[in-house]
Amino acid sequence: MIRRALRRTPVLRKLGGIAVHCALPALRTKISFAIATVAAGVAVAVGALVHHIVAEDLLAAARQELDGRLLSAATEYAAGQKSGGRLDPADLPAPVADAVRGGRRVTYLRDTGGDGPVLWAAGLVSDRNVLALSRSYRPEARTLAELDRALWGAGALATATASGVGLFLGARMGRRATAAARTAERIADGDLDARVDQSGHDEIARLAASVDAMADALGARLEAERRVTADIAHDLRTPVAGMLTAASLLPAGRPTDLVRDGAENLHRLVEDVLEVARLDARVARVEPEARQASALARRAVEPLGDAVSVRIRADRIVETDPRRVERILANLAANALKHGAGPVTVEVDGRVVRVRVRDRGPGFPDDLLAVLRTSGPQRFRSGAQTGTGLGLTIAVGQARLLGARLTFGNRPQGGAEAVLELPEPAG
Protein backbone atom coordinates (compact mmCIF):
# COMPACT_ATOMS: atom_id res chain seq x y z
CA MET A 1 0.00 0.00 0.00
CA ILE A 2 1.08 3.55 -0.60
CA ARG A 3 0.97 4.46 3.06
CA ARG A 4 3.28 1.57 3.85
CA ALA A 5 5.91 3.39 1.81
CA LEU A 6 6.15 5.85 4.67
CA ARG A 7 8.01 3.23 6.67
CA ARG A 8 10.69 3.20 4.01
CA THR A 9 11.17 6.98 3.88
CA PRO A 10 14.77 7.52 5.06
CA VAL A 11 14.13 11.08 6.28
CA LEU A 12 11.21 9.99 8.41
CA ARG A 13 13.05 7.03 9.85
CA LYS A 14 15.97 9.29 10.78
CA LEU A 15 13.71 11.88 12.35
CA GLY A 16 11.89 9.18 14.24
CA GLY A 17 15.19 7.72 15.46
CA ILE A 18 16.53 11.11 16.54
CA ALA A 19 13.36 12.05 18.32
CA VAL A 20 13.09 8.72 20.06
CA HIS A 21 16.67 8.98 21.34
CA CYS A 22 16.12 12.52 22.48
CA ALA A 23 13.02 11.45 24.35
CA LEU A 24 14.78 8.79 26.37
CA PRO A 25 15.38 9.48 30.08
CA ALA A 26 19.10 9.69 29.24
CA LEU A 27 18.45 13.19 27.89
CA ARG A 28 17.19 14.40 31.25
CA THR A 29 20.07 12.68 33.01
CA LYS A 30 22.68 14.14 30.68
CA ILE A 31 21.34 17.67 30.93
CA SER A 32 21.05 17.45 34.71
CA PHE A 33 24.53 15.94 34.98
CA ALA A 34 26.03 18.60 32.72
CA ILE A 35 24.48 21.46 34.68
CA ALA A 36 25.39 19.85 38.01
CA THR A 37 28.97 19.35 36.84
CA VAL A 38 29.27 22.97 35.77
CA ALA A 39 27.69 24.17 39.04
CA ALA A 40 29.97 21.94 41.10
CA GLY A 41 33.02 23.13 39.17
CA VAL A 42 32.06 26.78 39.65
CA ALA A 43 31.36 26.18 43.35
CA VAL A 44 34.73 24.48 43.86
CA ALA A 45 36.57 27.21 41.95
CA VAL A 46 34.84 30.02 43.85
CA GLY A 47 35.31 28.20 47.16
CA ALA A 48 39.02 27.68 46.50
CA LEU A 49 39.43 31.33 45.57
CA VAL A 50 37.57 32.58 48.62
CA HIS A 51 39.50 30.19 50.86
CA HIS A 52 42.81 31.42 49.45
CA ILE A 53 41.91 35.10 49.80
CA VAL A 54 40.60 34.76 53.36
CA ALA A 55 43.56 32.58 54.39
CA GLU A 56 45.98 35.16 53.03
CA ASP A 57 44.12 38.00 54.76
CA LEU A 58 44.02 36.16 58.11
CA LEU A 59 47.70 35.28 57.89
CA ALA A 60 48.68 38.81 56.86
CA ALA A 61 46.71 40.32 59.74
CA ALA A 62 48.18 37.87 62.24
CA ARG A 63 51.71 38.48 60.94
CA GLN A 64 51.24 42.23 61.16
CA GLU A 65 49.86 42.02 64.68
CA LEU A 66 52.64 39.74 65.94
CA ASP A 67 55.34 41.76 64.19
CA GLY A 68 54.04 44.90 65.90
CA ARG A 69 54.25 43.16 69.23
CA LEU A 70 57.81 42.07 68.40
CA LEU A 71 58.82 45.68 67.65
CA SER A 72 57.32 46.81 70.96
CA ALA A 73 59.13 44.01 72.81
CA ALA A 74 62.44 44.94 71.13
CA THR A 75 61.98 48.59 72.14
CA GLU A 76 61.30 47.55 75.75
CA TYR A 77 64.33 45.23 75.68
CA ALA A 78 66.57 48.03 74.38
CA ALA A 79 65.32 50.31 77.18
CA GLY A 80 66.18 47.69 79.74
CA GLN A 81 62.54 47.02 80.52
CA LYS A 82 60.89 43.67 80.83
CA SER A 83 59.47 42.62 77.46
CA GLY A 84 56.99 39.98 76.49
CA GLY A 85 59.48 38.26 74.18
CA ARG A 86 61.89 35.40 74.80
CA LEU A 87 65.59 35.46 74.19
CA ASP A 88 66.99 32.58 72.20
CA PRO A 89 64.09 30.16 72.92
CA ALA A 90 64.98 26.50 72.66
CA ASP A 91 61.92 25.68 70.51
CA LEU A 92 62.67 28.40 67.96
CA PRO A 93 62.23 26.81 64.49
CA ALA A 94 65.53 26.38 62.67
CA PRO A 95 64.37 28.30 59.54
CA VAL A 96 63.50 31.26 61.75
CA ALA A 97 66.85 31.20 63.55
CA ASP A 98 68.75 30.98 60.27
CA ALA A 99 66.78 33.86 58.74
CA VAL A 100 67.18 36.09 61.84
CA ARG A 101 70.94 35.50 62.10
CA GLY A 102 71.10 36.55 58.48
CA GLY A 103 70.03 40.00 59.56
CA ARG A 104 66.29 39.79 58.87
CA ARG A 105 63.19 40.19 61.02
CA VAL A 106 60.76 37.42 60.11
CA THR A 107 57.36 35.95 60.86
CA TYR A 108 56.86 32.23 60.38
CA LEU A 109 53.82 29.97 60.58
CA ARG A 110 54.59 26.47 61.78
CA ASP A 111 52.22 23.53 62.05
CA THR A 112 53.20 21.64 65.18
CA GLY A 113 50.76 18.77 64.63
CA GLY A 114 48.74 17.96 67.73
CA ASP A 115 49.23 21.38 69.30
CA GLY A 116 47.96 23.12 66.22
CA PRO A 117 49.66 25.80 64.13
CA VAL A 118 51.91 28.36 65.84
CA LEU A 119 52.86 31.76 64.47
CA TRP A 120 56.38 33.01 65.25
CA ALA A 121 57.98 36.48 64.99
CA ALA A 122 61.67 36.98 65.67
CA GLY A 123 64.51 39.47 65.21
CA LEU A 124 68.03 40.28 66.48
CA VAL A 125 68.32 42.56 69.52
CA SER A 126 72.10 42.29 69.71
CA ASP A 127 74.89 40.72 67.77
CA ARG A 128 74.10 37.29 69.20
CA ASN A 129 70.68 37.38 70.87
CA VAL A 130 67.40 36.59 69.13
CA LEU A 131 64.18 37.99 70.53
CA ALA A 132 61.16 35.89 69.57
CA LEU A 133 57.40 35.89 70.13
CA SER A 134 54.93 33.11 69.39
CA ARG A 135 51.24 32.59 69.64
CA SER A 136 48.70 29.97 68.69
CA TYR A 137 47.19 30.24 65.25
CA ARG A 138 44.17 28.11 66.21
CA PRO A 139 41.61 30.96 66.17
CA GLU A 140 42.43 31.74 62.54
CA ALA A 141 42.50 28.04 61.69
CA ARG A 142 39.04 27.60 63.25
CA THR A 143 37.75 30.62 61.35
CA LEU A 144 39.11 29.17 58.11
CA ALA A 145 37.60 25.73 58.84
CA GLU A 146 34.19 27.30 59.51
CA LEU A 147 34.49 29.23 56.27
CA ASP A 148 35.33 26.01 54.40
CA ARG A 149 32.28 24.26 55.86
CA ALA A 150 30.09 27.17 54.82
CA LEU A 151 31.57 27.14 51.33
CA TRP A 152 31.09 23.36 51.00
CA GLY A 153 27.48 23.67 52.16
CA ALA A 154 26.77 26.52 49.77
CA GLY A 155 28.43 24.62 46.94
CA ALA A 156 26.43 21.49 47.65
CA LEU A 157 23.20 23.50 47.79
CA ALA A 158 24.05 25.25 44.52
CA THR A 159 24.88 21.93 42.86
CA ALA A 160 21.65 20.33 44.08
CA THR A 161 19.62 23.32 42.92
CA ALA A 162 21.32 23.32 39.53
CA SER A 163 20.68 19.56 39.22
CA GLY A 164 17.02 20.10 39.95
CA VAL A 165 16.80 22.88 37.39
CA GLY A 166 18.65 20.70 34.87
CA LEU A 167 16.30 17.79 35.56
CA PHE A 168 13.29 20.05 35.11
CA LEU A 169 14.60 21.47 31.84
CA GLY A 170 15.61 18.02 30.62
CA ALA A 171 12.19 16.57 31.47
CA ARG A 172 10.46 19.42 29.69
CA MET A 173 12.62 19.00 26.61
CA GLY A 174 12.20 15.24 26.82
CA ARG A 175 8.40 15.48 26.88
CA ARG A 176 8.39 17.74 23.85
CA ALA A 177 10.87 15.55 22.00
CA THR A 178 8.84 12.47 22.92
CA ALA A 179 5.71 14.07 21.49
CA ALA A 180 7.56 14.81 18.26
CA ALA A 181 8.90 11.23 18.16
CA ARG A 182 5.48 9.68 18.71
CA THR A 183 3.99 11.88 16.01
CA ALA A 184 6.75 10.87 13.61
CA GLU A 185 6.09 7.20 14.41
CA ARG A 186 2.36 7.67 13.79
CA ILE A 187 3.15 9.29 10.45
CA ALA A 188 5.50 6.41 9.64
CA ASP A 189 2.63 4.01 10.37
CA GLY A 190 0.46 5.86 7.85
CA ASP A 191 -1.43 8.37 10.01
CA LEU A 192 -0.79 11.43 7.86
CA ASP A 193 -3.21 13.49 9.94
CA ALA A 194 -0.96 13.31 13.01
CA ARG A 195 0.60 16.64 13.97
CA VAL A 196 2.92 17.87 16.74
CA ASP A 197 1.60 20.32 19.30
CA GLN A 198 4.11 23.11 18.72
CA SER A 199 5.14 25.49 21.49
CA GLY A 200 8.08 27.80 22.00
CA HIS A 201 10.67 29.07 19.56
CA ASP A 202 13.64 26.83 20.28
CA GLU A 203 15.22 23.94 18.37
CA ILE A 204 12.59 21.43 19.48
CA ALA A 205 9.84 23.72 18.22
CA ARG A 206 11.71 23.89 14.92
CA LEU A 207 11.92 20.08 14.87
CA ALA A 208 8.17 19.86 15.50
CA ALA A 209 7.49 22.30 12.67
CA SER A 210 9.75 20.26 10.39
CA VAL A 211 7.88 17.04 11.26
CA ASP A 212 4.55 18.71 10.49
CA ALA A 213 5.86 20.16 7.23
CA MET A 214 7.23 16.75 6.27
CA ALA A 215 3.86 15.12 7.01
CA ASP A 216 2.09 17.70 4.83
CA ALA A 217 4.55 17.18 1.99
CA LEU A 218 4.38 13.38 2.21
CA GLY A 219 0.62 13.45 2.42
CA ALA A 220 0.38 15.60 -0.70
CA ARG A 221 2.84 13.43 -2.62
CA LEU A 222 1.19 10.16 -1.60
CA GLU A 223 -2.27 11.48 -2.36
CA ALA A 224 -1.07 12.58 -5.80
CA GLU A 225 0.50 9.15 -6.32
CA ARG A 226 -2.69 7.41 -5.26
CA ARG A 227 -4.83 9.52 -7.56
CA VAL A 228 -2.54 9.00 -10.53
CA THR A 229 -2.39 5.25 -9.89
CA ALA A 230 -6.15 4.98 -9.48
CA ASP A 231 -6.85 7.13 -12.55
CA ILE A 232 -4.48 5.14 -14.74
CA ALA A 233 -5.89 1.81 -13.56
CA HIS A 234 -9.45 3.07 -14.02
CA ASP A 235 -8.73 4.31 -17.53
CA LEU A 236 -7.17 0.96 -18.42
CA ARG A 237 -10.22 -1.06 -17.44
CA THR A 238 -12.16 -0.32 -20.62
CA PRO A 239 -9.38 -1.06 -23.14
CA VAL A 240 -8.37 -4.18 -21.22
CA ALA A 241 -11.98 -5.38 -21.23
CA GLY A 242 -12.03 -4.74 -24.98
CA MET A 243 -8.84 -6.77 -25.37
CA LEU A 244 -10.42 -9.69 -23.51
CA THR A 245 -13.52 -9.50 -25.69
CA ALA A 246 -11.45 -9.31 -28.85
CA ALA A 247 -9.28 -12.23 -27.75
CA SER A 248 -12.37 -14.37 -27.22
CA LEU A 249 -13.34 -13.80 -30.88
CA LEU A 250 -9.98 -14.90 -32.28
CA PRO A 251 -9.66 -18.38 -33.81
CA ALA A 252 -8.33 -21.06 -31.54
CA GLY A 253 -4.59 -21.55 -31.53
CA ARG A 254 -1.36 -20.86 -29.74
CA PRO A 255 -1.23 -17.15 -30.65
CA THR A 256 -4.78 -16.67 -29.42
CA ASP A 257 -3.93 -18.38 -26.12
CA LEU A 258 -0.94 -16.10 -25.65
CA VAL A 259 -3.02 -12.98 -26.34
CA ARG A 260 -5.79 -14.17 -24.03
CA ASP A 261 -3.37 -15.02 -21.21
CA GLY A 262 -1.66 -11.66 -21.52
CA ALA A 263 -4.96 -9.80 -21.50
CA GLU A 264 -6.16 -11.74 -18.46
CA ASN A 265 -2.92 -11.02 -16.58
CA LEU A 266 -3.21 -7.34 -17.46
CA HIS A 267 -6.85 -7.35 -16.33
CA ARG A 268 -5.90 -8.89 -12.97
CA LEU A 269 -3.10 -6.35 -12.54
CA VAL A 270 -5.47 -3.44 -13.24
CA GLU A 271 -7.98 -4.79 -10.73
CA ASP A 272 -5.24 -5.26 -8.14
CA VAL A 273 -4.03 -1.69 -8.62
CA LEU A 274 -7.57 -0.40 -8.21
CA GLU A 275 -7.98 -2.43 -5.03
CA VAL A 276 -4.73 -1.05 -3.63
CA ALA A 277 -5.96 2.47 -4.45
CA ARG A 278 -9.23 1.82 -2.63
CA LEU A 279 -7.37 0.50 0.41
CA ASP A 280 -5.07 3.54 0.34
CA ALA A 281 -8.04 5.88 0.15
CA ARG A 282 -9.64 4.04 3.08
CA VAL A 283 -12.97 3.95 1.32
CA ALA A 284 -13.32 0.18 1.63
CA ARG A 285 -15.95 -1.05 4.09
CA VAL A 286 -16.06 -4.32 6.02
CA GLU A 287 -19.26 -6.36 5.63
CA PRO A 288 -19.11 -9.05 8.33
CA GLU A 289 -20.95 -12.32 8.08
CA ALA A 290 -20.93 -15.51 10.13
CA ARG A 291 -19.01 -18.22 8.26
CA GLN A 292 -17.12 -21.39 9.08
CA ALA A 293 -13.36 -20.90 9.00
CA SER A 294 -12.91 -24.15 7.06
CA ALA A 295 -15.40 -23.04 4.40
CA LEU A 296 -13.54 -19.76 3.92
CA ALA A 297 -10.23 -21.58 3.44
CA ARG A 298 -11.67 -24.10 0.96
CA ARG A 299 -13.42 -21.44 -1.14
CA ALA A 300 -10.24 -19.32 -1.21
CA VAL A 301 -8.01 -22.04 -2.67
CA GLU A 302 -10.62 -23.77 -4.81
CA PRO A 303 -9.48 -22.05 -8.05
CA LEU A 304 -5.92 -23.32 -7.43
CA GLY A 305 -7.06 -26.94 -7.68
CA ASP A 306 -5.16 -29.85 -6.18
CA ALA A 307 -1.94 -27.83 -5.89
CA VAL A 308 -3.15 -26.56 -2.50
CA SER A 309 -4.49 -28.78 0.27
CA VAL A 310 -6.61 -27.68 3.22
CA ARG A 311 -6.04 -29.17 6.66
CA ILE A 312 -8.52 -28.55 9.47
CA ARG A 313 -7.14 -28.87 12.99
CA ALA A 314 -10.20 -27.26 14.58
CA ASP A 315 -13.17 -25.53 12.99
CA ARG A 316 -15.11 -22.54 14.19
CA ILE A 317 -17.75 -20.02 13.18
CA VAL A 318 -16.13 -16.60 12.62
CA GLU A 319 -17.73 -13.20 12.24
CA THR A 320 -15.80 -11.46 9.47
CA ASP A 321 -15.94 -10.22 5.89
CA PRO A 322 -15.71 -13.49 3.94
CA ARG A 323 -14.72 -11.90 0.63
CA ARG A 324 -11.72 -10.15 2.16
CA VAL A 325 -10.57 -13.23 4.12
CA GLU A 326 -10.82 -15.35 0.98
CA ARG A 327 -8.84 -12.75 -0.97
CA ILE A 328 -6.10 -12.78 1.66
CA LEU A 329 -5.82 -16.58 1.69
CA ALA A 330 -5.99 -16.83 -2.11
CA ASN A 331 -3.19 -14.30 -2.50
CA LEU A 332 -1.03 -16.05 0.09
CA ALA A 333 -1.55 -19.46 -1.49
CA ALA A 334 -0.91 -18.12 -5.00
CA ASN A 335 2.26 -16.42 -3.79
CA ALA A 336 3.43 -19.68 -2.19
CA LEU A 337 2.83 -21.59 -5.44
CA LYS A 338 4.56 -18.96 -7.56
CA HIS A 339 7.62 -18.28 -5.43
CA GLY A 340 7.86 -21.39 -3.25
CA ALA A 341 7.44 -25.08 -3.93
CA GLY A 342 4.68 -27.61 -3.37
CA PRO A 343 2.95 -29.01 -1.64
CA VAL A 344 1.23 -25.87 -0.35
CA THR A 345 -0.87 -26.40 2.76
CA VAL A 346 -3.54 -24.17 4.27
CA GLU A 347 -4.04 -25.16 7.91
CA VAL A 348 -7.07 -23.89 9.85
CA ASP A 349 -6.95 -23.75 13.64
CA GLY A 350 -10.35 -22.56 14.79
CA ARG A 351 -9.39 -22.62 18.46
CA VAL A 352 -7.65 -19.27 18.03
CA VAL A 353 -9.05 -18.39 14.57
CA ARG A 354 -5.65 -18.79 12.92
CA VAL A 355 -4.91 -19.87 9.36
CA ARG A 356 -1.40 -20.87 8.24
CA VAL A 357 -0.28 -21.01 4.61
CA ARG A 358 2.89 -23.09 4.19
CA ASP A 359 5.04 -24.24 1.32
CA ARG A 360 8.17 -26.41 0.97
CA GLY A 361 10.27 -23.96 -0.99
CA PRO A 362 13.51 -22.20 0.00
CA GLY A 363 11.64 -19.71 2.17
CA PHE A 364 11.93 -15.95 2.25
CA PRO A 365 15.44 -14.51 1.83
CA ASP A 366 16.71 -12.88 5.02
CA ASP A 367 16.72 -9.36 3.60
CA LEU A 368 13.22 -9.71 2.22
CA LEU A 369 11.98 -11.28 5.43
CA ALA A 370 13.37 -8.30 7.37
CA VAL A 371 11.36 -5.99 5.11
CA LEU A 372 8.20 -8.07 5.55
CA ARG A 373 8.54 -7.99 9.33
CA THR A 374 9.29 -4.29 9.66
CA SER A 375 8.06 -2.10 6.82
CA GLY A 376 5.62 -4.52 5.22
CA PRO A 377 5.51 -5.75 1.61
CA GLN A 378 6.74 -3.40 -1.10
CA ARG A 379 4.84 -3.41 -4.34
CA PHE A 380 6.51 -4.91 -7.40
CA ARG A 381 9.57 -5.95 -5.39
CA SER A 382 10.74 -9.55 -5.86
CA GLY A 383 13.61 -11.51 -4.43
CA ALA A 384 15.75 -14.09 -6.17
CA GLN A 385 13.45 -16.99 -5.33
CA THR A 386 10.48 -15.38 -3.67
CA GLY A 387 9.10 -11.89 -3.48
CA THR A 388 6.33 -9.52 -2.66
CA GLY A 389 4.12 -7.75 -5.12
CA LEU A 390 0.60 -6.45 -5.23
CA GLY A 391 -0.69 -9.80 -3.96
CA LEU A 392 0.96 -9.55 -0.56
CA THR A 393 0.37 -5.79 -0.45
CA ILE A 394 -3.35 -6.39 -0.89
CA ALA A 395 -3.29 -9.21 1.66
CA VAL A 396 -1.66 -6.97 4.28
CA GLY A 397 -4.07 -4.13 3.49
CA GLN A 398 -7.10 -6.38 3.76
CA ALA A 399 -5.86 -7.85 7.03
CA ARG A 400 -5.39 -4.38 8.48
CA LEU A 401 -8.87 -3.42 7.37
CA LEU A 402 -10.28 -6.49 9.13
CA GLY A 403 -8.26 -5.80 12.28
CA ALA A 404 -6.46 -9.11 11.72
CA ARG A 405 -2.77 -9.87 12.16
CA LEU A 406 -0.71 -11.15 9.23
CA THR A 407 2.86 -12.29 9.87
CA PHE A 408 5.55 -13.87 7.70
CA GLY A 409 8.39 -16.21 8.55
CA ASN A 410 10.44 -19.26 7.61
CA ARG A 411 9.87 -22.67 9.13
CA PRO A 412 12.77 -24.45 10.88
CA GLN A 413 12.21 -27.54 8.72
CA GLY A 414 12.21 -25.45 5.54
CA GLY A 415 9.71 -23.44 3.57
CA ALA A 416 7.92 -20.13 3.97
CA GLU A 417 4.94 -19.58 6.24
CA ALA A 418 2.32 -16.83 6.41
CA VAL A 419 -0.03 -16.74 9.40
CA LEU A 420 -3.38 -14.93 9.38
CA GLU A 421 -4.87 -14.46 12.83
CA LEU A 422 -8.41 -13.13 12.82
CA PRO A 423 -9.64 -11.00 15.72
CA GLU A 424 -11.73 -12.64 18.39
CA PRO A 425 -15.38 -11.58 18.41
CA ALA A 426 -16.24 -8.81 20.87
CA GLY A 427 -17.65 -10.02 24.16
Side-chain angles (χ1 to χ4, degrees):
M1 293 170 61
I2 291 176
R3 291 181 184 268
R4 297 297 291 181
L6 284 171
R7 287 183 174 269
R8 306 190 304 273
T9 305
V11 174
L12 187 60
R13 299 308 296 175
K14 290 179 181 178
L15 282 176
I18 292 173
V20 168
H21 281 88
C22 288
L24 292 175
L27 177 65
R28 300 194 295 268
T29 303
K30 289 178 179 178
I31 292 178
S32 178
F33 179 76
I35 295 179
T37 301
V38 172
V42 171
V44 170
V46 171
L49 181 62
V50 171
H51 173 91
H52 177 73
I53 292 175
V54 173
E56 290 291 330
D57 288 345
L58 289 174
L59 183 57
R63 287 177 183 272
Q64 185 177 3
E65 181 266 336
L66 193 59
D67 186 61
R69 287 174 53 192
L70 177 64
L71 290 176
S72 298
T75 302
E76 292 172 354
Y77 178 82
Q81 299 175 3
K82 184 179 180 181
S83 66
R86 293 184 292 163
L87 287 175
D88 299 320
D91 56 345
L92 182 67
V96 176
D98 293 340
V100 170
R101 291 191 175 92
R104 289 181 292 173
R105 189 175 79 251
V106 299
T107 56
Y108 179 77
L109 180 62
R110 180 184 183 187
D111 190 354
T112 59
D115 295 334
V118 176
L119 183 63
W120 287 84
L124 282 176
V125 291
S126 66
D127 293 340
R128 292 178 301 173
N129 298 116
V130 177
L131 182 65
L133 291 174
S134 65
R135 77 169 182 86
S136 173
Y137 197 71
R138 284 184 178 178
E140 288 80 2
R142 283 196 297 268
T143 300
L144 202 57
E146 292 173 0
L147 175 65
D148 288 342
R149 286 194 293 270
L151 290 174
W152 278 111
L157 180 60
T159 302
T161 303
S163 299
V165 172
L167 192 61
F168 170 76
L169 293 176
R172 186 170 180 269
M173 293 175 63
R175 284 194 298 269
R176 295 171 62 197
T178 300
R182 289 174 178 169
T183 302
E185 290 169 353
R186 288 172 57 191
I187 295 172
D189 288 333
D191 184 6
L192 296 181
D193 297 326
R195 292 296 182 272
V196 183
D197 184 14
Q198 302 180 27
S199 61
H201 303 281
D202 53 11
E203 288 77 3
I204 295 183
R206 183 177 178 183
L207 172 64
S210 299
V211 171
D212 290 346
M214 178 185 60
D216 293 335
L218 285 174
R221 291 177 61 181
L222 293 176
E223 179 62 20
E225 177 188 343
R226 185 192 66 79
R227 288 183 178 277
V228 169
T229 303
D231 291 344
I232 292 175
H234 187 272
D235 291 343
L236 286 174
R237 296 184 80 179
T238 300
V240 169
M243 289 174 59
L244 286 173
T245 302
S248 64
L249 300 177
L250 294 174
R254 180 61 178 167
T256 299
D257 293 339
L258 292 175
V259 172
R260 185 181 297 110
D261 291 343
E264 289 177 352
N265 289 335
L266 182 58
H267 179 264
R268 284 194 295 270
L269 178 60
V270 170
E271 293 299 324
D272 287 346
V273 171
L274 283 174
E275 185 162 3
V276 169
R278 285 192 293 268
L279 291 172
D280 284 339
R282 299 185 180 182
V283 296
R285 294 291 179 268
V286 176
E287 299 177 359
E289 297 180 15
R291 296 288 180 88
Q292 277 190 317
S294 60
L296 293 176
R298 290 191 175 95
R299 281 178 54 87
V301 301
E302 183 178 358
L304 302 177
D306 297 335
V308 180
S309 61
V310 178
R311 181 184 304 167
I312 310 299
R313 295 183 59 185
D315 205 356
R316 183 175 178 178
I317 300 294
V318 294
E319 188 78 18
T320 187
D321 190 325
R323 184 185 71 83
R324 300 188 187 280
V325 173
E326 291 172 10
R327 182 65 189 274
I328 294 171
L329 297 179
N331 284 7
L332 294 177
N335 187 77
L337 285 174
K338 181 178 181 180
H339 301 290
V344 175
T345 304
V346 177
E347 182 182 276
V348 179
D349 186 356
R351 292 172 297 182
V352 290
V353 200
R354 181 181 296 149
V355 183
R356 301 179 185 271
V357 180
R358 299 168 173 169
D359 64 56
R360 296 297 180 88
F364 295 106
D366 292 338
D367 58 340
L368 189 58
L369 189 59
V371 173
L372 291 172
R373 288 176 173 174
T374 55
S375 60
Q378 303 176 14
R379 286 165 287 171
F380 306 112
R381 170 177 175 173
S382 295
Q385 295 174 315
T386 186
T388 58
L390 289 179
L392 290 188
T393 302
I394 292 173
V396 171
Q398 297 285 16
R400 186 182 299 108
L401 187 63
L402 293 173
R405 183 185 179 197
L406 181 57
T407 56
F408 304 90
N410 290 327
R411 304 171 63 197
Q413 58 269 38
E417 179 182 68
V419 181
L420 174 66
E421 188 171 341
L422 296 174
E424 294 287 344

